[in-house]
Amino acid sequence: MILISDKGQQKGKHTAKEHYWAEQGIEVLTMPLPCGDYIIANERVMDVINRKNERGIPVKKMDFLGTYNVTVDTKKDIQELVGDICGKQHARFRDECILAQNNGIKLYVLVQNAGGLIKGTKDIYNPTIQSLDELHKWKNPRLFVMKRTSDVIGHYKSGKPIYRRTQRYPAATKGETLMKACKTMQKKYGVEFIFCSNSEQGTKVIELLQQEVDECQET
């Protein structure tokens, strides 16, 4: 099997997946993709690459439209998903979903997450989210980032003042809000959100992309 990885993927940030694929004998080529981070290099994809190589010109991302019907977009954590769904990257991500929908491409968004103790707290934990319906359980770590105010609420034994602390980002997106927004996009654009632990992402990418091969064999 040969995978195509989007040229926009940051080098050095996907070593775990790449190591797993190398162990499985899966070759990864880097090319610009119109949507998604990974696709399978099927016959139509390879035909585009070979024809461009014969002409001595680079492959452009739109050259791949019509050559594949499944792609996987990976997110390093739920916080990155927040940026795409409820943050500054929403318009870009929405357009990518529409591009996939208009061209008959099934877009999976695979979100890895580790769970564990939330930084800055002593006993508040995040679970590892395994499905979209569980996303309401996620606690945004930004809600637990505190800042010191100028209000003195007491003194230590040493006489040093104790200042009141408040949330630095009280409007940070909550899990419930994110879940509802994802479900709205899923219904409107056909994009599907999949969640997994950090160690599963390499396997999950192949599992989701393999559906294209299975569909082609059935037809």
Side-chain angles (χ1 to χ4, degrees):
M1 179 185 292
I2 300 176
L3 296 184
I4 305 295
S5 172
D6 181 46
K7 192 175 182 179
Q9 290 282 75
Q10 294 183 18
K11 293 182 179 180
K13 297 292 183 69
H14 307 276
T15 54
K17 293 194 294 288
E18 291 165 354
H19 179 69
Y20 168 77
W21 293 332
E23 287 183 334
Q24 302 302 311
I26 298 172
E27 184 180 356
V28 181
L29 303 178
T30 301
M31 299 278 170
L33 294 177
C35 59
D37 292 329
Y38 300 100
I39 64 171
I40 287 178
N42 59 34
E43 291 183 3
R44 290 171 294 179
V45 170
M46 291 306 300
D47 180 60
V48 169
I49 295 172
N50 292 334
R51 284 189 288 107
K52 291 290 184 175
N53 285 340
E54 288 174 2
R55 294 171 60 194
I57 58 177
V59 177
K60 296 180 180 180
K61 63 181 181 180
M62 292 306 176
D63 292 332
F64 287 123
L65 286 180
T67 66
Y68 65 94
N69 55 37
V70 177
T71 185
V72 177
D73 189 13
T74 55
K75 304 299 175 189
K76 63 183 176 62
D77 54 27
I78 295 175
Q79 202 70 61
E80 184 179 359
L81 181 65
V82 171
D84 284 343
I85 304 299
C86 303
K88 295 180 180 179
Q89 295 299 316
H90 175 75
R92 178 201 58 78
F93 180 73
R94 178 207 58 209
D95 287 353
E96 183 175 0
C97 292
I98 293 174
L99 180 64
Q101 184 182 49
N102 288 345
N103 288 276
I105 299 170
K106 178 65 178 183
L107 174 60
Y108 290 101
V109 176
L110 182 60
V111 187
Q112 68 178 31
N113 62 109
L117 181 68
I118 295 176
K119 185 178 180 179
T121 70
K122 295 181 179 180
D123 56 1
I124 302 176
Y125 293 82
N126 257 325
T128 298
I129 302 300
Q130 294 286 355
S131 71
L132 183 55
D133 286 334
E134 293 181 355
L135 192 52
H136 67 92
K137 300 177 183 178
W138 179 70
K139 306 175 188 69
N140 193 330
R142 289 172 67 84
L143 291 170
F144 301 92
V145 177
M146 308 300 288
K147 65 178 181 179
R148 194 184 77 175
T149 70
S150 59
D151 297 334
V152 177
I153 59 174
H155 293 81
Y156 293 102
K157 290 181 179 180
S158 63
K160 185 178 179 180
I162 301 174
Y163 295 95
R164 185 184 305 279
R165 295 168 64 83
T166 61
Q167 289 176 297
R168 184 176 293 275
Y169 309 106
T173 302
K174 296 180 179 179
E176 180 76 20
T177 303
L178 181 60
M179 182 186 73
K180 290 179 179 178
C182 285
K183 288 187 173 183
T184 297
M185 294 198 75
Q186 193 161 273
K187 183 178 180 180
K188 190 171 183 179
Y189 303 117
V191 58
E192 189 168 340
F193 298 91
I194 308 294
F195 295 79
C196 67
S197 64
N198 289 355
S199 61
E200 295 177 306
Q201 201 177 63
T203 306
K204 284 288 187 179
V205 168
I206 301 302
E207 179 183 305
L208 294 169
L209 291 178
Q210 190 68 36
Q211 294 182 54
E212 178 183 43
V213 176
D214 294 341
E215 288 174 5
C216 291
Q217 290 176 344
E218 288 176 4
T219 55

